[in-house]
Amino acid sequence: MLTAMTETNPYADVLELTHPPTQTPARRQIERALVDWMHDTGKGAAEITVCALAKRAFVARSTFYKNYAHADAVLDVIEQRILAELCDAGDAMRALARGGASATESYDAFVRVLHRHEDEFRLLLVELPSARFADRWKRMLGYHFWERLFTDGAREQRLRPSTVNRALVLEMIASAFISGVRFWLMTPERVEIPEIKALILRLIRDIDEVW
Amino acid sequence: MLTAMTETNPYADVLELTHPPTQTPARRQIERALVDWMHDTGKGAAEITVCALAKRAFVARSTFYKNYAHADAVLDVIEQRILAELCDAGDAMRALARGGASATESYDAFVRVLHRHEDEFRLLLVELPSARFADRWKRMLGYHFWERLFTDGAREQRLRPSTVNRALVLEMIASAFISGVRFWLMTPERVEIPEIKALILRLIRDIDEVW
C-alpha cells in the first residue's frame, strides 16, 4: 500500500488574514466613515488625516489610536473582515464529494457576503481598485479550490488529478470570478442574476470533471 | 420561414484599432527605443521627452514629429500593432463548424504573436501594466468569441444559444485568458507549456458546448 504524500495547500497563508480585531461600535463607526469618505471624495485611505477621519466618525483621536495605527490600517481591517467572511462562505466548497450541493451552498453564502458588503466591494473593486484586496481575494479563491480539488480526500474521488499548471489554472479561475463580480457591480443592468448562478455552478462542475 | 435578426457584434469597434501606420525603419527604431527605455527605467511613456526619445532612437526630432504627436502616441501605436496581430490570430476562431481545429489554429497563431512581442507583452502586462491595453485586448477576445458563438452561422449549429449574460461571460473568459498570460510572463518556471495548450483547447471546447 502506498502512502500518499500529503501536500500542503500553498495558499494557506491567506488564512492569517482572516482574524480581524473584534468588531466594536467605535471600530464600526470608524470603518464606515472611511468607506463613506473614500466613496464621496474618490481618494485613497492614505489621503485622509486621522484627525479628519476621527471627526467624521464622531470618535476621539485617542479612540482612533487605541484601535488603528493609521487610516490605511483601517482599510486593511475592512479587507480582512470581508476575507474572513469569504473564507467562511468558501468552506462548503471543500466537500467535493457532495458535488453540486457543496458548490451551491458556497455560491449562496458568497452572494450573502456580497450583499452585506456591497459598498465595500464597490469601493475596492470599482471606485478605487485595490490591488492588495484583489490579490488577497484571489489567494482565498485559490485556497478553496485547492482544498476542493487537490487534497487527499478529493484525489480519491477523481480519475485524473492534474499535477501541472495548478497555480496557473487557479489564477485564471480567480481572475474570471473577480472580474465577473466587478462587471456586475459596474453594469448591473447587463446581468441576469438567476442565470449567473446556473453559469457559475456549471463552471465549477466543469472544473471538477476535467481537472 | 423566419428571417433571423442579424445582431451586430458589440465589440466590432475594436477593429478600428487594428490599422496602425505602416512600419518603417524610423518608426521601428522609435518604438523599440520607447519599449527599451520604459523597461530600463520603469517609467511610463508620458515621462520621457520627445527630445530624449528621439536621441535614444537615433532619429531627428523632426522625424519623430512626422510620425507621432508625442511619446504616449508611440505606445498607442505599439499596442495597435499587437492588436492587429491578435486580430489576425483570432480569425480562425470564427469557424465554429471546424470545432477544435479552428481553436488549435488560433491558439498556435496567438503563441506566435506572444513570442514575437514578448518584450511588449511583458511591459504592458507586468512591468508597467496598461489598463488601456488590457481593455483593448479584452474587447478583441470578446469580438472573436462573439463571432464564434453568436453569429447566424454559429447559431445554426448550436442547440441552446445563450442570450443572457453574454457580456459578463465574455468579460470572464477574457480576464481568465489575459491573467493566464500574465501569470506565465511573471512566473514561467511554474508553467508547463504543452499542458497549457490542452487546457486552453479544452476550455474552448467547454465554452462551445455548454454556452
Side-chain angles (χ1 to χ4, degrees):
Chain A
M1 188 182 151
L2 285 167
T3 306
M5 280 242 290
T6 302
E7 288 173 86
T8 311
N9 189 319
Y11 301 92
D13 60 348
V14 78
L15 299 183
E16 288 163 22
L17 295 170
T18 59
H19 307 288
T22 315
Q23 192 57 290
T24 62
R27 287 188 186 131
R28 183 173 290 113
Q29 275 165 251
I30 293 166
E31 291 167 21
R32 186 73 238 170
L34 180 64
V35 169
D36 289 347
W37 179 82
M38 289 174 72
H39 169 74
D40 291 348
T41 63
K43 290 182 183 170
E47 293 182 67
I48 189 169
T49 62
V50 167
C51 188
L53 180 53
K55 195 170 169 185
R56 228 185 133 105
F58 302 106
V59 301
R61 250 167 55 106
S62 58
T63 306
F64 181 94
Y65 282 118
K66 257 178 243 157
N67 290 286
Y68 312 97
H70 46 73
D72 193 56
V74 180
L75 193 65
D76 190 20
V77 170
I78 292 168
E79 291 181 18
Q80 289 185 37
R81 293 199 196 288
I82 297 175
L83 283 172
E85 296 190 30
L86 290 172
C87 186
D88 288 343
D91 203 52
M93 289 281 292
R94 291 168 175 249
L96 180 64
R98 291 169 57 226
S102 66
T104 304
E105 202 177 302
S106 245
Y107 178 84
D108 291 340
F110 166 71
V111 171
R112 287 193 295 273
V113 176
L114 186 58
H115 284 145
R116 199 153 49 229
H117 295 287
E118 190 173 326
D119 289 347
E120 291 91 333
F121 276 101
R122 200 173 289 283
L123 188 70
L124 295 166
L125 293 182
V126 180
E127 293 170 354
L128 288 160
S130 160
R132 180 180 65 189
F133 179 67
D135 184 58
R136 288 170 167 184
W137 188 7
K138 269 188 197 175
R139 295 188 64 75
M140 184 61 74
L141 287 160
Y143 174 78
H144 283 116
F145 272 99
W146 177 281
E147 288 289 301
R148 183 176 181 83
L149 299 169
F150 305 128
T151 51
D152 289 345
R155 261 206 300 266
E156 282 163 21
Q157 303 167 39
R158 294 159 59 77
L159 292 173
R160 34 172 197 174
S162 180
T163 53
V164 297
N165 289 326
R166 289 178 175 182
L168 171 71
V169 177
L170 294 175
E171 166 74 24
M172 291 174 74
I173 291 171
S175 294
F177 192 78
I178 294 173
S179 76
V181 175
R182 189 188 289 119
F183 183 88
W184 171 71
L185 290 170
M186 290 176 74
T187 52
E189 74 283 0
R190 300 179 72 188
V191 170
E192 300 290 330
I193 299 291
E195 284 80 2
I196 284 190
K197 181 169 176 172
L199 179 78
I200 298 289
L201 295 179
R202 200 165 55 196
L203 181 66
I204 294 174
R205 197 195 55 205
D206 284 349
I207 293 168
D208 287 344
E209 280 175 10
V210 300
W211 194 50
Chain B
M1 187 182 149
L2 287 166
T3 305
M5 281 241 292
T6 303
E7 288 174 87
T8 311
N9 189 319
Y11 302 91
D13 59 351
V14 78
L15 300 183
E16 288 163 23
L17 295 170
T18 58
H19 306 288
T22 315
Q23 194 58 290
T24 62
R27 288 189 184 130
R28 183 173 290 115
Q29 277 166 248
I30 292 166
E31 291 168 21
R32 186 73 238 173
L34 180 64
V35 169
D36 290 346
W37 180 82
M38 289 174 72
H39 170 74
D40 291 348
T41 62
K43 291 181 182 172
E47 292 181 67
I48 189 170
T49 62
V50 166
C51 189
L53 181 53
K55 195 171 169 185
R56 225 182 135 105
F58 302 106
V59 300
R61 250 164 55 103
S62 58
T63 306
F64 182 94
Y65 281 119
K66 257 178 241 158
N67 290 286
Y68 312 97
H70 45 74
D72 193 56
V74 180
L75 192 65
D76 189 22
V77 169
I78 291 168
E79 290 181 18
Q80 289 186 37
R81 293 200 195 287
I82 296 175
L83 283 173
E85 295 189 29
L86 290 171
C87 186
D88 288 344
D91 203 52
M93 289 281 292
R94 293 168 174 249
L96 179 63
R98 290 171 53 230
S102 66
T104 303
E105 201 176 303
S106 246
Y107 178 84
D108 291 340
F110 166 72
V111 171
R112 286 193 295 273
V113 176
L114 185 58
H115 284 147
R116 198 153 50 227
H117 295 287
E118 192 173 325
D119 290 347
E120 291 91 332
F121 276 100
R122 200 172 289 283
L123 188 70
L124 295 167
L125 293 183
V126 181
E127 293 170 353
L128 288 161
S130 161
R132 180 179 67 190
F133 180 66
D135 184 60
R136 287 170 168 182
W137 188 7
K138 270 187 196 175
R139 296 188 63 75
M140 184 61 76
L141 286 161
Y143 174 79
H144 282 117
F145 272 99
W146 178 281
E147 288 287 302
R148 182 174 182 85
L149 298 169
F150 305 129
T151 51
D152 289 344
R155 262 205 300 267
E156 284 163 22
Q157 305 168 37
R158 293 159 59 76
L159 291 173
R160 35 172 198 176
S162 179
T163 52
V164 296
N165 289 327
R166 288 178 176 182
L168 171 71
V169 178
L170 294 175
E171 167 72 23
M172 291 174 72
I173 293 171
S175 294
F177 191 78
I178 294 174
S179 76
V181 174
R182 189 188 291 120
F183 183 89
W184 171 72
L185 289 170
M186 288 176 75
T187 51
E189 74 283 2
R190 302 179 69 187
V191 170
E192 299 290 330
I193 299 292
E195 284 82 1
I196 286 191
K197 181 168 177 172
L199 179 79
I200 298 288
L201 296 179
R202 199 165 56 193
L203 181 67
I204 294 174
R205 195 194 55 204
D206 283 348
I207 293 167
D208 286 348
E209 280 175 10
V210 299
W211 195 48

